[in-house]
Amino acid sequence: MRAEVLVLRRTRLLAADPALFSYAVPPAIRDHIRAGQLAAVPFGERFLPGIVWALDAADDVGGVLPPNGETSARRDETPRALAALLLAEPLLSPERRALAEWLADYYAAPLAEAVRLFLPPGLTSGMRVMLQARGAADGGAQGPEERPEELEPEAASALALIRGRGRVEQRALARGIGARRAQAVIAQLEARGEIMRVLEVPAAVSAGRRERIVSLAAAPAALDAWRALARSALDRLPAPPKRRPTWQTPNAWERQAERLLRQLAALDVLARVAQADDAEGELHRVWRVEELRRLTRVTAAALAELAEAGLVRIVEIERRYDPQAGRVRAAPSAPLALTHAQSAALTAIVAALPTSERVAPESRGQVLLLHGITGSGKTEIYLQALSAAIARGRTGIVLVPEIALTPQAVARFAGRFPGRVALLHSGLTQPERQSEWRRIRDGEVEVVIGSRSALFAPLPRLGLIVVDEEHEAAYKQERRPTYHAREVAARLGALTGAAVVLGSATPSVESYQRALDGHFTLLELRERAPVALLPTTVEGAFEPPRLPPVTLVDLRAELRAGNTSILSTVLHEALAETVARGEQAILFLNRRGTASAVVCRECGFAMRCDRCDVALTYHAAAHALICHYCGRHEPEPRVCPICHSAGIRYFGLGTERVESAVKRQFPAARVLRWDRDTARTRQAHEALLSAFSERRADILVGTQMIAKGLDLPAVTLVGVVSADIALFMPDFRASERAFQLLTQVAGRAGRGERPGRVLVQTFNPDHFCIQSAARHDYAAFFAAEAPARRRFGYPPFRRFVKLTYEHRDHYAAQLEATALAERLERVIRECGLPDTDLVGPAPAFLERLRGRYRWQVILRSPDPRPALRALAGADLPHGWSVDVDPASTL
């Protein structure tokens, strides 16, 4: 019996090496082995983990292996034996294995890299190769020790160490005697049959971290009786001496008295907790043994005595790490009444949900694009669609683009599905992610919320996938495999039969074009939903709030009028009125810092990063110039380093400067700033969102993270400080990003009972993106953008692949990029690929980044996979990266 195993190893980019390797299955595990299991295999001189992909060379997935997924051995070869199965249950279901194959093929990535997305957190990094004596492994006698003359001294010492300890980590032996000598010693001992190598899975993955808990086990009468006996025994003991020399240890009766006192203290703590729980209707609350010992100083032996007496119960359980621990639990919520448009959208989504375990191929994985204006009630549709899926015995995944949005999303979904929601994103600690992963695997939850990585959660019976704000670039992974969560969700839906809902007020051009072409089902919400959760001040029916009117402020006119302030006259007045009414305002500027350029007025020298060749940004709070790409800090300049003039001037603006100006002009207002400088951690994001939601601030100044999906009913004014930033960047998505950001941030106003307004400051009020955003008119934007993309062969009409080479030497980077471009040109000619061409080679927009020069080649084609397959085995040197369907060509 053979197994085709995907060995989890690092593979070169576009390598032609086989992905699967054939191994013989030992008779001892033939009855237990299944496809998808984690196994240990010998690989060269190493010992590596792998996934059993198929048995007897029969692929039970039904998918097609990628071009580099061919097996390593022919049927007439004798393969090495698979060493052991590491976990009893399969890690990857057939659908997940098929999805991994598709990921590797579609995004030109090694299959092992695609599979790593599905593995439990910390699995491969926490694995250890252990050296174990053969006798200990077999459970029998170890036999006589070898005489020194029969083994080399180092091998004899290593064997004695392994036998003495039972198991020794291979890395520890290598650290002690050196990697090469350790390799020779292990080979010698293995050849003699003295030791074996065992791959050890982290306990946090296989069974979770364990902890002991203690609770009361006896009735109150029995406790009282034991307390009386203990106090009687204490009364019979002699009184301890008032002073004891430091060198003198306690005698037996003093130790007995100390043990009884600590036992009494432990029982009192447990009894008080139990009484408090009884009053609240919650029985048998437990304490962690470590916490109780730390509080009462009771010893483990003293606690064991109480357990033997039947007074307490000590058990070992899996320790849970709750990401929501210490936070206010969400209040339970009930389904809201839907508008006619919401009901129609919900009906279409529910009709697309799978109804049985086996779904007909023609009805699998329908993708629905929910295009709803800001505030139209898309989240309530998600909630009710999830309820329908759960009622059918299915589960659901909800994706949000930013970690900053997860607290608000979790609160809404946890309120509707209490105790049945798990959270997964990169902002969690590893113990938290491991604990949530096991809850999902064990079937304890029905809804998973998180960022793009939540797509790979081991959720069974998947029925619904929601990708909220599907247009966001945060769904695109930059490292390989460079997948987009939207595409992966659609493929996962097709494999599992789950319905996929893509929601956005400003859909990506790709998704909207697919909806028009009939590949997606288009659902539209053109009106805002009624405010149902806030008390109304007017009796009777409350009409749905309307989209806030947008006023364009021409900054050219402001300059002609002599106003050089950051805030135009109309925006200043609107801010004053908003603060005076006790309402909240948002000021948006998609640039951090105080000044975006520092220039010498005398010689024109601009301060730039020596490693990235970009302008340094001045941060007044840090009194430093900071590179936003490599993080380099330089002290605030006093004189020009070239001409030594004192004529240093600061140009441009960022959120830090806007915050300073607002505080100066409105000293009584409470101002918060939310950008990457003030919110670097998950806790900082949550604190800022909580402070503004609870109205502990009047004005919020921030970058794009405040424009994404936040629901802040008290905000009635949104001011865009500058709508022109990034509008004319040399990237085919620049117009789309500008329109989406302006529309999304404008949608933060007027979401409550009070109407809102939006003021957009710009030097280009006639630009079609700004005009469309001001009218909240997605159709007008798409009508102008899509034909231009079709004319120039941009996505979605052709796919892009960005190949980037980095090197410390400029000339070497240029030569390597030129060589690859010539090779690609030959591939295109030889394969006869239609509508396929190259852009470049050329320097990247940021030619030097972190001290390395970057050159790019962009492949444009309706389907770039044939060209990339033809490059397999090209032996690309280290320094190349391949980004399929890049979010930006910069």
Side-chain angles (χ1 to χ4, degrees):
M1 184 179 185
R2 294 193 186 198
E4 301 299 332
V5 179
L6 173 69
V7 181
L8 299 178
R9 62 187 180 117
R10 296 292 177 185
T11 308
R12 293 178 296 111
L13 188 64
L14 297 178
D17 300 338
L20 304 181
F21 292 83
S22 294
Y23 287 88
V25 179
I29 63 174
R30 285 182 181 175
D31 294 336
H32 310 288
I33 191 169
R34 286 180 288 170
Q37 281 180 296
L38 184 68
V41 296
F43 192 81
E45 296 180 346
R46 293 179 293 169
F47 207 59
L48 296 176
I51 301 292
V52 178
W53 210 254
L55 297 172
D56 279 340
D59 182 15
D60 64 342
V61 176
V64 179
L65 289 177
N68 61 351
E70 298 157 356
T71 58
S72 62
R74 296 190 304 270
R75 297 301 298 172
D76 56 350
E77 293 179 348
T78 303
R80 301 171 74 179
L82 185 147
L85 297 177
L86 300 178
L87 294 175
E89 294 298 321
L91 278 179
L92 270 70
S93 65
E95 294 82 9
R96 263 67 179 187
R97 297 200 303 279
L99 181 61
E101 292 174 358
W102 176 85
L103 273 164
D105 182 38
Y106 194 84
Y107 290 103
L111 184 57
E113 297 294 331
V115 165
R116 288 179 191 276
L117 298 170
F118 299 85
L119 299 182
L123 174 66
T124 53
S125 62
M127 281 190 172
R128 301 186 302 169
V129 178
M130 307 299 294
L131 306 175
Q132 183 170 296
R134 279 283 181 184
D138 300 336
Q142 296 186 18
E145 294 189 5
E146 297 286 347
R147 294 192 300 273
E149 63 269 14
E150 297 181 8
L151 284 174
E152 295 180 3
E154 267 183 345
S157 300
L159 180 59
L161 177 67
I162 295 169
R163 283 177 168 173
R165 295 186 179 180
R167 304 177 84 191
V168 173
E169 188 178 358
Q170 181 173 314
R171 284 184 297 186
L173 183 64
R175 285 194 297 267
I177 64 175
R180 288 188 177 181
R181 285 186 292 174
Q183 188 175 350
V185 165
I186 293 170
Q188 182 182 4
L189 294 177
E190 277 189 320
R192 296 175 65 96
E194 298 292 346
I195 65 170
M196 62 184 295
R197 282 183 288 181
V198 179
L199 201 59
E200 187 176 85
V201 178
V205 173
S206 59
R209 290 177 169 86
R210 312 294 292 179
E211 66 178 353
R212 294 191 304 156
I213 59 172
V214 56
S215 61
L216 286 179
L223 288 175
D224 292 341
W226 190 90
R227 287 194 186 98
L229 289 173
R231 293 193 179 97
S232 176
L234 284 170
D235 292 340
R236 291 195 300 271
L237 292 173
K242 292 183 179 180
R243 285 189 177 182
R244 182 194 297 117
T246 56
W247 52 266
Q248 193 178 69
T249 58
N251 56 33
W253 60 263
E254 289 175 328
R255 289 196 296 271
Q256 183 181 358
E258 185 176 86
R259 184 174 68 254
L260 286 172
L261 287 171
R262 291 177 180 175
Q263 286 176 329
L264 283 169
L267 289 175
D268 288 342
V269 169
L270 292 173
R272 284 197 299 271
V273 171
Q275 290 171 359
D277 290 341
D278 287 342
E280 298 175 4
E282 300 176 5
L283 298 176
H284 309 303
R285 179 176 173 182
V286 297
W287 270 68
R288 293 174 56 199
V289 168
E290 291 80 3
E291 291 179 353
L292 187 64
R293 289 186 59 189
R294 191 163 47 246
L295 179 66
T296 63
R297 299 179 63 193
V298 66
T299 64
L303 267 182
E305 288 181 1
L306 294 178
E308 290 176 5
L311 299 174
V312 300
R313 182 184 298 106
I314 301 175
V315 296
E316 187 178 73
I317 64 169
E318 180 183 345
R319 182 175 183 181
R320 294 294 193 185
Y321 292 82
D322 184 5
Q324 300 302 306
R327 296 174 176 82
V328 178
R329 294 295 179 182
S333 65
L336 303 177
L338 301 181
T339 64
H340 177 74
Q342 285 177 306
S343 297
L346 178 62
T347 300
I349 295 171
V350 171
L353 295 175
T355 57
S356 62
E357 289 296 329
R358 292 293 179 185
V359 183
E362 63 272 8
S363 62
R364 301 191 87 176
Q366 185 177 351
V367 181
L368 305 100
L369 177 61
L370 181 59
H371 175 209
I373 64 173
T374 56
S376 58
K378 294 186 289 294
T379 302
E380 182 62 27
I381 295 176
Y382 303 155
L383 289 166
Q384 296 196 24
L386 275 171
S387 295
I390 292 171
R392 297 183 180 188
R394 295 286 180 152
T395 57
I397 295 175
V398 180
L399 301 186
V400 293
E402 293 282 354
I403 294 174
L405 299 181
T406 50
Q408 198 171 65
V410 170
R412 292 178 177 178
F413 286 87
R416 192 66 58 88
F417 309 105
R420 296 180 288 169
V421 176
L423 182 62
L424 276 184
H425 58 71
S426 59
L428 303 180
T429 64
Q430 182 157 298
E432 287 174 339
R433 284 188 288 136
Q434 289 171 340
S435 184
E436 293 291 88
W437 187 91
R438 286 192 303 276
R439 286 181 65 214
I440 298 167
R441 177 200 61 187
D442 296 341
E444 298 178 15
V445 302
E446 294 167 328
V447 179
V448 176
I449 300 176
S451 53
R452 61 177 181 259
S453 59
L455 265 179
F456 307 103
L459 198 63
R461 308 180 313 281
L462 192 59
L464 179 65
I465 304 172
V466 174
V467 184
D468 194 26
E469 308 294 347
E470 66 87 26
H471 64 277
E472 284 291 344
Y475 285 127
K476 183 72 165 65
Q477 176 158 283
E478 298 300 326
R479 61 182 183 277
R480 67 177 188 182
T482 57
Y483 71 90
H484 196 294
R486 177 184 62 231
E487 309 301 326
V488 178
R491 185 64 181 179
L492 181 58
L495 291 168
T496 60
V500 180
V501 178
L502 310 177
S504 177
T506 56
S508 63
V509 173
E510 288 90 338
S511 294
Y512 201 77
Q513 184 64 47
R514 285 195 223 175
L516 295 181
D517 292 341
H519 300 298
F520 295 169
T521 300
L522 181 61
L523 308 173
E524 296 197 282
L525 304 175
R526 301 179 184 276
E527 292 184 351
R528 282 190 161 183
V531 180
L533 300 180
L534 295 176
T536 59
T537 56
V538 180
E539 294 184 359
F542 184 73
E543 292 187 1
R546 297 182 178 180
L547 285 171
V550 179
T551 302
L552 299 181
V553 181
D554 191 343
L555 292 180
R556 298 170 299 181
E558 290 289 317
L559 289 177
R560 287 194 294 267
N563 181 13
T564 58
S565 171
I566 292 174
L567 304 179
S568 61
T569 303
V570 63
L571 181 54
H572 184 279
E573 293 174 353
L575 275 173
E577 295 170 1
T578 301
V579 173
R581 290 195 302 265
E583 299 167 356
Q584 289 181 304
I586 287 177
L587 293 180
F588 168 76
L589 179 67
N590 201 26
R591 181 178 285 163
R592 296 149 52 203
T594 302
S596 55
V598 181
V599 180
C600 173
R601 186 178 58 182
E602 299 298 327
C603 69
F605 176 75
M607 308 295 178
R608 302 180 71 84
C609 176
D610 292 337
R611 300 180 67 235
C612 299
D613 201 22
V614 296
L616 294 169
T617 301
Y618 174 58
H619 288 249
H623 298 287
L625 303 180
I626 301 176
C627 175
H628 288 172
Y629 291 91
C630 70
R632 178 179 179 179
H633 285 58
E634 289 190 5
E636 180 180 354
R638 300 297 179 186
V639 297
C640 173
I642 302 300
C643 68
H644 305 291
S645 165
I648 299 294
R649 293 295 181 266
Y650 300 90
F651 298 95
L653 70 156
T655 50
E656 194 173 316
R657 185 177 170 192
V658 173
E659 177 193 26
S660 177
V662 171
K663 285 182 176 179
R664 186 171 57 252
Q665 297 182 35
F666 301 95
R670 299 166 297 172
V671 182
L672 280 179
R673 176 163 55 92
W674 191 350
D675 56 24
R676 196 175 299 175
D677 297 319
T678 61
R680 295 185 179 274
T681 65
R682 169 171 57 103
Q683 292 77 13
H685 282 293
E686 294 177 10
L688 284 168
L689 177 58
S690 176
F692 198 65
S693 300
E694 295 169 6
R695 306 191 65 172
R696 286 183 273 129
D698 305 308
I699 302 173
L700 177 64
V701 179
T703 54
Q704 61 181 352
M705 57 184 61
I706 68 173
K708 300 177 180 179
L710 297 179
D711 190 6
L712 304 166
V715 173
T716 59
L717 174 67
V718 168
V720 178
V721 178
S722 176
D724 305 315
I725 294 177
L727 187 61
F728 300 105
M729 295 291 284
D731 182 62
F732 74 95
R733 295 190 196 272
S735 297
E736 181 181 13
R737 279 195 294 267
F739 170 79
Q740 289 168 342
L741 269 176
L742 291 175
T743 304
Q744 291 284 344
V745 75
R748 301 313 106 200
R751 298 173 73 93
E753 291 182 319
R754 299 179 181 179
R757 63 182 301 202
V758 181
L759 298 176
V760 178
Q761 300 184 162
T762 175
F763 285 100
N764 299 275
D766 298 325
H767 194 284
F768 82 97
C769 283
I770 295 177
Q771 286 287 333
S772 301
R775 298 192 302 269
H776 305 280
D777 193 346
Y778 179 84
F781 161 76
F782 184 84
E785 180 72 5
R789 292 205 189 176
R790 186 187 295 273
R791 184 167 60 254
F792 294 112
Y794 294 156
F797 306 103
R798 276 200 293 180
R799 293 178 59 196
F800 281 11
V801 178
K802 182 172 66 175
L803 300 101
T804 306
Y805 184 69
E806 297 184 3
H807 198 278
R808 293 190 177 277
D809 180 72
H810 177 276
Y811 187 60
Q814 181 180 0
L815 282 180
E816 180 62 31
T818 302
L820 180 65
E822 292 173 352
R823 192 178 306 164
L824 276 171
E825 291 282 8
R826 288 197 301 270
V827 165
I828 294 171
R829 288 195 305 269
E830 293 169 1
C831 297
L833 301 177
D835 296 326
T836 301
D837 60 12
L838 300 180
V839 177
F845 178 72
L846 297 176
E847 183 176 2
R848 187 169 54 163
L849 195 63
R850 302 178 185 91
R852 300 176 70 85
Y853 289 92
R854 306 161 68 243
W855 275 65
Q856 290 179 346
V857 178
I858 295 178
L859 172 66
R860 305 189 300 183
S861 175
D863 184 2
R865 286 177 291 182
L868 294 177
R869 289 169 185 165
L871 277 182
D875 197 22
L876 295 182
H878 177 73
W880 276 107
S881 63
V882 178
D883 188 356
V884 179
D885 298 335
S888 169
T889 55
L890 298 181

